[in-house]
Amino acid sequence: MLLPSRMNRIAHLLCFLSLAANAQGVATPQTPETSGKDGTTPPAATQEAPPPRPPEDPCLAEADDAPDSEVLGALRLSVNGENRALADVKLEGLQRLSEPVVRALAHVPEKGTLSPEQAALILERLASTGLFSKVTPTVRLAEGATPVLVVALEEQPHVTSVDITGLQKDEQEDVQDQLFRLPPSASTNDEEEDDDDDDAETLVHIGAEGIRWHVSSRKCLAPNPPKELLAFFDDEGRFHPGFVWKGLPEALERAQDELEDEGYLLASLDATLTPEGQLRLRVDEGTVEAVEVRGVEEDVAARVREVMGIKPGDVLLRSDLRRAEERLEHEMPFLKLRDVEALPRPATRFEEVREENGGRRYRPVEETQREKKRKHWDDDVELSWEALAEGWKHGSGDEAITTVGRRVVVHARPRGSSFDAELIPMHTQVTGFAPGLSGSLKLWDVHNRAHVTLEGALTIPLRWGGQRIPGDPEQTAFQRRLNWLVGAKVEVPAVRLAEVGVQLYDFTDTNDRWRMGAIDSYIYSALLNRPDAEYFRRKGLTGFATWRLSPQLLVGAEYRRDTYDSLVSFSPPFSLFRRDSAPFPNPLVDEGRMTSVVGRIEYASDAKRSSRGGPLFRNPELSQVRHDWGWPERTAVRNLLTLEVGSPALGGGAEYRFWKLVSDNVLYVNTGHDDGLRLRVRAAGGEDLPLQKQEALGGWSGLRGYAFKEFRGDASLLASAEYRWDFIGVFADMGTVHTQELGWMDPKLGLGAQLYFGDSVHLSVAWRTDERASLSPEARLLFVRPF
């Protein structure tokens, strides 16, 4: 922010001097040549002529247009009621700088009188050069002489060499750049830059009357000294002695801000300047004195400190706090980090202390919030584009991990419980529109011994569209029953038990979610009568246990005791389009009781610890690891291996004996931002499989370009490859199916292209390549990726 108070103080000084001159009663000097012989005062026509009009300053016109010109009148110098001009400007106190150079920078004329307005502009230019630590103006009035403006100047420190310790090379270079920053117009060569954009500065004046814009010339208001006078480091790291532009206190403040921008939250500076001009800068990167955890018991606080990984004596970076917060959220989900209002860090300014031997010492002094607020509001405020950009960069907000002095403070509290709910917009050919809800209530143990979760789901088939099963009111009523599921599970972190629990249910289920996500199936069922899924009724119970041996590796087991029933497609189809078409076919299944055990092993190289267990609707062919299915930021591998064995010996009056093995493997190769290769190999098969557990290929994600489940058998092998360039991609699917009668069929190939609208949403077109191929492709807009 640019504050006009400096100009106002200069104006007030000259006004005060003018009033003082009137109070002294100094007589108007008279020249001997114009006095009468009798000593009387000659007539007015023979009095001393008024002083010549001072030369016009090109910046005066701009000063008249400045935002303050409507309030602040022109400065006048009056002696005994007579306006007077200044005869000259004398510069005192210069040591290393030559007077001609200073006069040229401030546009001080060599000859001629000056108006008070011109004098004020000259003082402003001198103060704006950044070469002087003090500019003290005095109007000197002498008997019989025209007033003279005497300006006492104190030069900024002249630095001959620099010694910086306590920083690594990269950080030291950044600090050097800020410490010895050059004016904006300083050039790397002796020629002046001819850039109109650097000759003007746009100011936004904010006052009670509103907002006004003002464009001022840098040459008038902020004369920048030549580079040869200033101290700086060149591009090769060599130091050039000179004056510190705008002084060492401001330079040290810039260096302090740079360290904070680099993430050194506790860093501090200490600087001395020897009489010979050597600047010695000592940087303390800042170490943590203590880590304080508020809001939880001490045993929990000790675990928080351990998980954070920040210890007393560590150098603290902003990135350390961010990573610590992520670790706490992942490893201690039973705690809730509590955001508190983070007060702005006290501004650090540097005071100069002059020593008896001629040296100088600079010590940091933190301004209190009250001082900062008063300083902010006492002055009229003007904003430059640079200040607006800086304010946008450094926002403020609430934080859960803060610093107080050199202590790190964590604000947390026990989570207690958490509740999640999701809408289920279910629409199938066997239920019609059946909306519902799923939800879970998790009870957290702050001591991390056992966490209990209660979960459930309910969908209600609506009787819209007059759907029924012709000639079978009993089956119609059966399929309109509520779909429900309830369950409970416990997590025991001490033994790496991610979940152990049980579910009871009676709902409409499918084994086709590895092909197409539920939301896509529901949408296309409601729009086009094309759900691309087959359904059955499953009623029973499942007991399960899952161990997460590491964030990437998971093993589990299930005991399933189910009763299966076939479902028939309702007629007519309840869809927005194609209502006159035949209902989407839903084949019969092997009905009766089945009891089986399922074992699973999963590995995901990019998996992170999750506070959530497996999905609500469990399926032996789907992963228990939660993925967002976006393109990973780096190369990743995901593997799923499950084995299900059914037998009457497992109890429950089971009628079927079978086994089925599923292996689903995906490799992601990241080749750039939004570019990458996705490979998938899925193999599945078994023996004596019930109809609802048999394999089939064809349809979306299961051999694209071919009809839904066009090829059926007791085993299948599918390979898919996709490559993405930003928002477009191509893919190829190849698959084959095995049957007891014909063995393995000839492989089928499907080709296609995709247009991406993010990581998951994509428009796909696919062609089959066998003897039934045509130019017309299959096309779908899909919202969820099943792999």
Side-chain angles (χ1 to χ4, degrees):
M1 292 182 292
L2 302 177
L3 304 177
S5 55
R6 183 193 301 158
M7 185 71 180
N8 294 341
R9 287 195 293 269
I10 296 173
H12 294 160
L13 171 64
L14 291 179
C15 288
F16 174 77
L17 293 174
S18 175
L19 294 173
N22 279 323
Q24 291 172 3
V26 180
T28 303
Q30 299 179 355
T31 58
E33 293 78 10
T34 58
S35 299
K37 292 181 180 180
D38 57 357
T40 61
T41 303
T46 62
Q47 289 184 4
E48 179 184 2
R53 181 175 178 83
E56 290 293 335
D57 191 320
C59 293
L60 282 177
E62 182 176 302
D64 292 338
D65 294 334
D68 286 340
S69 61
E70 297 179 6
V71 178
L72 180 63
L75 181 66
R76 296 289 182 264
L77 179 61
S78 177
V79 179
N80 284 339
E82 181 180 352
N83 291 335
R84 304 295 298 271
L86 297 170
D88 193 9
V89 176
K90 292 186 178 180
L91 305 179
E92 297 180 351
L94 295 176
Q95 298 180 359
R96 292 179 177 270
L97 292 170
S98 64
E99 185 168 336
V101 170
V102 176
R103 284 182 173 271
L105 278 174
H107 301 283
V108 181
E110 294 290 341
K111 297 179 180 180
T113 58
L114 296 174
S115 68
E117 294 93 332
Q118 287 176 307
L121 281 174
I122 289 173
L123 294 174
E124 173 66 11
R125 293 192 194 108
L126 287 171
S128 300
T129 60
L131 294 175
F132 305 105
S133 58
K134 285 186 180 180
V135 177
T136 306
T138 303
V139 176
R140 184 174 296 167
L141 301 176
E143 184 82 21
T146 305
V148 175
L149 177 62
V150 180
V151 184
L153 302 171
E154 182 175 331
E155 297 173 352
Q156 298 285 13
H158 189 275
V159 178
T160 58
S161 62
V162 181
D163 177 25
I164 301 178
T165 58
L167 284 177
Q168 298 180 2
K169 182 178 179 181
D170 292 340
E171 286 80 4
Q172 181 170 323
E173 291 177 356
D174 294 335
V175 169
Q176 288 174 175
D177 292 340
Q178 293 300 320
L179 196 61
F180 299 103
R181 181 192 292 177
L182 294 174
S185 63
S187 176
T188 55
N189 50 49
D190 294 334
E191 300 178 1
E192 289 189 5
E193 294 183 348
D194 228 357
D195 191 349
D196 292 339
D197 292 339
D198 289 339
D199 291 339
E201 182 178 60
T202 302
L203 303 178
V204 183
H205 179 79
I206 302 176
E209 72 282 358
I211 301 176
R212 298 198 308 272
W213 299 80
H214 176 62
V215 180
S216 62
S217 170
R218 291 184 183 272
K219 293 181 179 178
C220 290
L221 297 184
N224 293 315
K227 186 177 181 180
E228 293 73 17
L229 296 177
L230 303 176
F232 67 95
F233 282 88
D234 60 23
D235 295 338
E236 297 180 359
R238 292 190 300 264
F239 179 72
H240 295 261
F243 295 98
V244 179
W245 186 55
K246 293 191 175 182
L248 271 173
E250 184 170 333
L252 292 171
E253 290 176 17
R254 293 195 301 266
Q256 179 78 40
D257 292 341
E258 176 64 25
L259 288 174
E260 291 186 8
D261 289 343
E262 290 294 326
Y264 292 92
L265 300 180
L266 306 181
S268 61
L269 302 177
D270 180 77
T272 57
L273 183 67
T274 67
E276 296 77 21
Q278 184 186 38
L279 177 64
R280 298 171 181 170
L281 180 63
R282 304 291 180 265
V283 180
D284 180 2
E285 294 180 334
T287 57
V288 177
E289 291 182 354
V291 178
E292 179 182 344
V293 183
R294 299 178 180 176
V296 295
E297 299 176 5
E298 180 54 34
D299 59 336
V300 180
R303 176 59 180 161
V304 169
R305 287 189 284 266
E306 180 183 348
V307 171
M308 288 179 61
I310 298 176
K311 303 180 297 297
D314 289 349
V315 174
L316 183 66
L317 298 177
R318 184 178 289 108
S319 58
D320 295 333
L321 296 184
R322 184 175 61 253
R323 286 192 293 268
E325 186 169 345
E326 292 175 355
R327 285 194 294 268
L328 288 175
E329 291 175 347
H330 290 151
E331 299 187 29
M332 304 185 74
F334 49 88
L335 294 182
K336 183 175 179 61
L337 294 179
R338 181 169 52 89
D339 289 340
V340 297
E341 183 179 358
L343 295 175
R345 299 182 184 279
T348 301
R349 60 184 180 87
F350 288 83
E351 287 185 345
E352 182 181 81
V353 179
R354 304 198 178 188
E355 300 176 340
E356 296 180 357
N357 62 356
R360 306 183 187 189
R361 182 166 53 88
Y362 299 87
R363 62 181 184 183
V365 178
E366 290 187 349
E367 292 183 334
T368 64
Q369 298 299 321
R370 185 176 179 180
E371 289 173 344
K372 289 174 65 179
K373 184 174 182 180
R374 184 175 66 248
K375 179 178 180 180
H376 179 75
W377 290 111
D378 279 357
D379 292 325
D380 216 4
V381 178
E382 292 182 357
L383 297 178
S384 66
W385 290 119
E386 293 83 355
L388 288 173
E390 189 71 12
W392 183 270
K393 175 182 177 183
H394 298 285
S396 60
D398 295 343
E399 298 176 357
I401 305 179
T402 60
T403 57
V404 179
R406 294 206 166 191
R407 293 180 294 117
V408 175
V409 181
V410 183
H411 305 271
R413 64 176 177 84
R415 188 177 291 272
S417 62
S418 59
F419 177 75
D420 293 323
E422 293 182 5
L423 177 66
I424 304 178
M426 185 176 182
H427 190 290
T428 74
Q429 70 271 33
V430 297
T431 61
F433 183 43
L437 286 173
S438 66
S440 65
L441 174 65
K442 191 156 189 174
L443 307 177
W444 298 94
D445 175 14
V446 69
H447 296 287
N448 202 28
R449 293 165 298 196
H451 310 290
V452 179
T453 301
L454 306 177
E455 56 189 2
L458 176 68
T459 65
I460 305 174
L462 302 180
R463 302 184 180 187
W464 289 0
Q467 290 186 297
R468 65 188 185 281
I469 301 173
D472 194 345
E474 185 177 344
Q475 183 67 23
T476 300
F478 174 75
Q479 294 183 197
R480 285 177 175 170
R481 292 192 307 178
L482 298 178
N483 296 282
W484 59 270
L485 179 150
V486 295
K489 56 187 178 182
V490 179
E491 178 187 1
V492 185
V495 293
R496 300 183 181 273
L497 184 60
E499 56 181 4
V500 57
V502 64
Q503 288 183 342
L504 302 176
Y505 43 79
D506 183 0
F507 66 103
T508 300
D509 199 6
T510 180
N511 286 329
D512 293 326
R513 289 294 173 249
W514 69 269
R515 306 168 182 275
M516 177 181 287
I519 188 64
D520 287 318
S521 178
Y522 297 156
I523 289 174
Y524 280 97
S525 177
L527 291 179
L528 301 174
N529 185 31
R530 288 289 303 274
D532 282 1
E534 297 174 346
Y535 295 92
F536 47 82
R537 191 81 179 190
R538 185 163 70 95
K539 177 182 179 180
L541 64 88
T542 297
F544 54 88
T546 305
W547 288 265
R548 188 178 290 274
L549 304 182
S550 72
Q552 295 77 31
L553 182 61
L554 177 149
V555 297
E558 297 179 13
Y559 176 81
R560 302 162 66 94
R561 179 182 291 182
D562 297 323
T563 300
Y564 289 85
D565 290 290
S566 297
L567 301 176
V568 182
S569 298
F570 278 144
S571 181
F574 183 63
S575 59
L576 186 60
F577 305 103
R578 300 180 61 182
R579 299 193 66 175
D580 296 333
S581 63
F584 191 85
N586 195 72
L588 300 177
V589 300
D590 286 330
E591 298 181 335
R593 297 181 179 180
M594 295 184 192
T595 304
S596 63
V597 292
V598 180
R600 70 172 58 239
I601 300 177
E602 293 191 49
Y603 176 81
S605 63
D606 60 331
K608 297 180 180 179
R609 190 192 187 283
S610 173
S611 60
R612 303 177 66 182
L616 179 62
F617 297 99
R618 313 174 75 88
N619 190 291
E621 302 186 20
L622 297 180
S623 172
Q624 300 281 11
V625 180
R626 309 264 180 146
H627 298 295
D628 57 9
W629 297 117
W631 289 84
E633 297 180 355
R634 58 182 60 87
T635 298
V637 177
R638 298 173 185 171
N639 308 103
L640 166 66
L641 180 65
T642 65
L643 174 63
E644 181 178 11
V645 178
S647 172
L650 296 174
E655 306 168 19
Y656 298 89
R657 184 187 303 273
F658 66 92
W659 64 266
K660 184 176 183 180
L661 182 70
V662 176
S663 175
D664 201 347
N665 310 278
V666 181
L667 170 65
Y668 302 91
V669 181
N670 193 340
T671 59
H673 182 65
D674 288 336
D675 295 347
L677 175 67
R678 187 191 300 249
L679 301 174
R680 180 188 195 182
V681 177
R682 182 184 185 275
E687 186 176 6
D688 298 328
L689 294 177
L691 291 175
Q692 58 268 36
K693 294 183 179 293
Q694 290 187 355
E695 281 296 296
L697 291 183
W700 294 101
S701 299
L703 194 57
R704 288 164 285 191
Y706 293 82
F708 173 69
K709 289 192 174 181
E710 184 174 344
F711 311 104
R712 296 175 183 262
D714 54 21
S716 69
L717 179 62
L718 175 68
S720 300
E722 299 182 14
Y723 196 86
R724 174 181 178 179
W725 295 274
D726 197 11
F727 64 94
I728 60 173
V730 295
F731 63 84
D733 293 342
M734 180 174 288
T736 180
V737 171
H738 177 274
T739 62
Q740 292 291 342
E741 299 81 10
L742 303 176
W744 290 98
M745 73 176 190
D746 293 336
K748 302 295 182 179
L749 175 66
L751 300 174
Q754 299 184 119
L755 183 64
Y756 293 92
F757 304 95
D759 284 340
S760 296
V761 181
H762 58 285
L763 175 65
S764 293
V765 293
W767 292 266
R768 62 191 302 157
T769 60
D770 62 359
E771 64 278 359
R772 297 173 56 188
S774 67
L775 294 178
S776 177
E778 293 283 335
R780 285 287 178 93
L781 176 65
L782 300 174
F783 296 89
V784 177
R785 297 195 62 92
F787 78 94

